[in-house]
């Protein structure tokens, strides 16, 4: 199984190399629901639709475009995923995390991840941006199965899943830009259902500030290879004090994420320019 998977990773990586040439991307960026806008800021873009990349899945989730975009952002060569693969789409964890393995082979030094999330912290408002300082994984672990020794150890450390230096740099960048940031714990469930009120309360009780259906698999796979990770969540719904007629709706989530996309783009672009 693992030799077959390694072959898939290599095939995808060499296809992408044939498009981007010898340049090594400094950072890989994963753009979540409604956050693809950042990719539009990339200069001298090379756009590679996922469907052209061997062994890549197709992005079926709403607000996810399905392109790999390489080019310059903040003066640095980066590679961005405009849309990701989710476990709830029915893809196995190997498919969900294949792009991060591929970006590792392409030589990224940092991984940036973003997502739309429900705010369970009662201080959070729709449109807030949260630096992910830690996570709680309630999805299957993507490293289950034979270990890819060439990528990392069997039992990876998770003491510092999100890089402290990158967090500090982001906080100073946001201050310069006059953008207020929250900092908290992201909890990942499988979805695709949104949570019941009791589940939101439970997640708050166990230490979560925001909840979503993605990101953690990619972070675990990046940390397996010791890649420093920086993550941002956009709070798209307030998961407490529900009005009588409140319903969670995917369209509202994408719309709220779209509205915060400019701020998120500014932070990431400035942060990358300082690396
Ligand atoms: N729960 C899970 N995933 C989400 C939510 C939520 O409330 N909002 C955006 N993604």
């Amino acid at each position: 199984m693992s030799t077959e998977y390694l072959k898939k990773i290599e095939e995808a990586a060499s296809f992408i190399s044939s498009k981007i040439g010898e340049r090594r991307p400094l950072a890989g960026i994963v753009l979540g629901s409604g956050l693809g806008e950042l990719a539009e800021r990339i200069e001298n873009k090379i756009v590679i639709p996922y469907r052209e990349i061997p062994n890549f899945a197709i992005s079926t989730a709403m607000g996810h475009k399905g392109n790999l975009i390489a080019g310059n952002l903040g003066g640095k060569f980066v590679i961005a995923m405009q849309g990701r693969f989710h476990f709830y789409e029915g893809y196995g964890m190997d498919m969900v995390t294949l792009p991060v393995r591929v970006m590792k082979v392409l030589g990224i030094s940092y991984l940036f991840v973003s997502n739309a999330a429900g705010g369970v912290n009662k201080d959070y408002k729709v449109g807030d941006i949260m630096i992910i300082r830690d996570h709680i994984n309630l999805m299957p672990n993507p490293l289950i199965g034979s270990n890819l020794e060439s990528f990392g150890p069997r039992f990876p450390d998770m003491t510092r899943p999100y890089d402290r230096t990158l967090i500090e740099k982001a906080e100073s960048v946001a201050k310069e830009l006059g953008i207020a940031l929250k900092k908290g714990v992201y909890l990942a469930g499988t979805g695709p259902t949104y949570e019941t009120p009791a589940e939101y309360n439970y997640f708050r009780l166990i230490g979560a500030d925001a909840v979503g259906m993605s990101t953690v698999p990619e972070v675990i796979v990046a940390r397996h290879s010791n890649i420093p990770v920086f993550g941002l969540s956009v709070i798209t719904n307030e998961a407490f004090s529900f009005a009588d007629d409140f319903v969670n709706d995917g369209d509202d989530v994408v719309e709220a994420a779209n509205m915060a996309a400019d701020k998120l783009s500014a932070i990431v672009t400035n942060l990358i320019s300082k690396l």
Side-chain angles (χ1 to χ4, degrees):
M1 142 72 196
S2 83
T3 32
E4 217 170 278
Y5 189 52
L6 289 171
K7 220 173 98 195
K8 283 186 177 176
I9 296 165
E10 287 297 338
E11 273 173 5
S14 44
F15 177 82
I16 296 161
S17 290
S18 77
K19 301 279 178 189
I20 68 174
E22 290 304 303
R23 284 177 299 172
R24 192 178 64 82
L26 177 69
I29 307 171
V30 183
L31 298 168
S33 308
L35 300 171
E37 193 253 5
L38 174 58
E40 308 300 334
R41 294 193 179 207
I42 296 175
E43 291 162 359
N44 300 320
K45 281 200 258 313
I46 302 164
V47 179
I48 315 170
Y50 294 159
R51 70 184 125 77
E52 292 180 9
I53 304 172
N55 311 317
F56 260 48
I58 312 270
S59 209
T60 68
M62 55 164 62
H64 287 253
K65 284 201 172 141
N67 293 314
L68 196 68
I69 301 184
N72 292 319
L73 187 72
K76 307 285 162 61
F77 186 61
V78 302
I79 189 155
M81 290 184 71
Q82 203 175 28
R84 58 153 58 85
F85 310 128
H86 301 84
F87 191 62
Y88 67 71
E89 293 175 87
Y91 299 120
M93 279 297 177
D94 51 347
M95 285 301 275
V96 170
T97 57
L98 181 98
V100 178
R101 297 294 192 192
V102 170
M103 291 194 280
K104 161 72 187 163
V105 172
L106 294 173
I108 59 165
S109 303
Y110 301 95
L111 182 71
F112 287 72
V113 290
S114 63
N115 57 57
V120 294
N121 183 320
K122 292 183 177 175
D123 294 332
Y124 288 11
K125 298 264 178 299
V126 170
D128 280 353
I129 298 180
M130 181 189 90
I131 292 178
I132 307 176
R133 68 167 175 82
D134 202 345
H135 70 227
I136 297 172
N137 183 29
L138 296 184
M139 291 171 113
N141 195 299
L143 301 181
I144 291 171
S146 50
N147 184 45
L148 301 180
E149 289 292 330
S150 53
F151 283 81
R154 172 75 292 189
F155 300 108
D157 175 62
M158 279 288 151
T159 314
R160 278 169 291 279
Y162 301 87
D163 189 78
R164 288 175 182 171
T165 309
L166 291 175
I167 290 176
E168 279 169 23
K169 281 198 166 100
E171 286 177 319
S172 78
V173 159
K175 210 166 175 186
E176 277 168 33
L177 294 169
I179 299 171
L181 291 178
K182 308 284 190 200
K183 187 162 59 173
V185 174
Y186 176 86
L187 181 147
T190 65
T193 48
Y194 289 112
E195 289 70 20
T196 64
E199 286 165 345
Y200 282 130
N201 286 339
Y202 166 59
F203 291 165
R204 182 180 312 112
L205 204 65
I206 64 173
D209 297 289
V211 49
M213 309 174 191
S214 69
T215 305
V216 168
E218 292 109 308
V219 171
I220 290 174
V221 163
R223 294 304 299 143
H224 184 224
S225 293
N226 214 19
I227 297 168
V229 173
F230 177 73
L232 290 175
S233 290
V234 173
I235 304 303
T236 55
N237 50 293
E238 290 159 25
F240 49 86
S241 312
F242 301 106
D244 282 345
D245 59 349
F246 178 81
V247 268
N248 265 319
D249 179 308
D251 289 327
D252 294 347
V253 164
V254 173
E255 196 188 314
N258 271 322
M259 277 163 44
D262 265 352
K263 282 197 283 183
L264 180 129
S265 298
I267 294 164
V268 172
T269 306
N270 274 272
L271 182 52
I272 286 178
S273 76
K274 291 189 158 61
L275 297 179

